[in-house]
């Protein structure tokens, strides 16, 4: 079933159809593997009564979903220009002497290695700072716990400041 015939049938069901007609359409849509639309059509029938407004809304959604997508022909022009540029770059690369191509590849590899080294160094510095922040937080927490506990029995001091020893 194509979208035009589905929307026509929905319009007919809305005008003169019954709940059984909508259920039959839902079964046919499910058989055509258009389950989302079949579910929407099926939900317009409740307790044997057809909700015509809901079915009309389903028909509108189906018609909207099947509208052709407008194409931006400017995009094709941009892609054509890009393709021409890439082809020119490939031709220039193929015309380049082999030694020059090797030198350029070696330079690109070196630049990539330097970049990766800078990234690795940055990540190491970030991890160091995060570890130091964690150590500082642990020290602060340990200091707070030591302030609350007795050095002799290692129990928390009572509210009056004395411990169990």
């Amino acid at each position: 079933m194509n979208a035009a015939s589905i929307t026509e049938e929905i319009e007919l069901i809305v005008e003169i159809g019954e709940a059984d007609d909508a259920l039959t359409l839902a079964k046919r849509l499910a058989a055509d593997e258009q389950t989302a639309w079949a579910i929407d059509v099926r939900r317009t029938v409740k307790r044997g009564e057809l909700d015509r407004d809901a079915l009309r809304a389903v028909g509108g959604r189906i018609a909207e979903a099947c509208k052709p997508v407008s194409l931006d022909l400017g995009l094709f022009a941009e892609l054509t220009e890009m393709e021409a540029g890439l082809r020119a770059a490939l031709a220039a690369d193929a015309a380049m002497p082999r030694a020059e191509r090797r030198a350029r590849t070696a330079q690109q590899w070196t630049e990539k290695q330097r970049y990766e080294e800078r990234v690795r160094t940055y990540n190491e510095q970030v991890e160091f700072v995060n570890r130091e922040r964690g150590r500082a937080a642990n020290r602060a927490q340990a200091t707070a716990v030591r302030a609350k506990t007795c050095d002799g029995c290692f129990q928390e001091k009572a509210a009056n400041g004395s411990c169990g020893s």
Side-chain angles (χ1 to χ4, degrees):
M1 296 179 72
N2 63 9
S5 65
I6 293 170
T7 54
E8 281 181 30
E9 189 164 348
I10 287 176
E11 288 174 12
L12 284 172
I13 294 171
V14 166
E15 294 300 322
I16 58 171
E18 298 175 0
D20 292 336
D21 299 328
L23 293 175
T24 303
L25 175 62
K27 288 177 186 175
R28 288 199 337 256
L29 288 171
D32 284 346
E33 297 182 2
Q34 296 172 342
T35 53
W37 293 348
I39 291 169
D40 288 345
V41 171
R42 173 62 185 93
R43 287 182 177 162
T44 62
V45 178
K46 294 180 182 135
R47 295 187 188 123
E49 294 293 320
L50 177 63
D51 184 357
R52 296 181 190 284
D53 293 331
L55 186 58
R56 188 175 286 120
V58 169
R61 286 197 305 268
I62 292 172
E64 187 68 31
C66 293
K67 280 186 179 176
V69 178
S70 62
L71 295 176
D72 182 14
L73 297 179
L75 180 62
F76 289 121
E78 288 179 32
L79 288 173
T80 305
E81 291 174 13
M82 186 183 299
E83 180 186 13
L86 287 173
R87 288 187 186 278
L90 286 172
D93 191 45
M96 185 182 299
R98 198 174 173 135
E100 189 176 330
R101 192 177 314 130
R102 282 188 189 156
R104 190 188 71 213
T105 304
Q107 180 184 3
Q108 289 173 344
W109 184 83
T110 304
E111 289 172 1
K112 183 179 177 184
Q113 294 300 316
R114 287 182 184 154
Y115 172 77
E116 289 177 0
E117 187 176 320
R118 286 194 306 268
V119 169
R120 187 173 40 254
T121 303
Y122 173 78
N123 288 337
E124 287 172 358
Q125 290 172 349
V126 167
E127 287 181 22
F128 175 76
V129 168
N130 287 339
R131 280 194 308 267
E132 289 302 314
R133 285 181 183 161
R135 287 184 186 134
N138 288 346
R139 281 189 220 110
Q141 187 177 7
T143 304
V145 169
R146 280 191 210 106
K148 292 184 205 174
T149 56
C150 173
D151 292 332
C153 63
F154 298 106
Q155 294 181 0
E156 282 196 35
K157 296 177 185 174
N160 63 5
S162 65
C163 63
S165 59

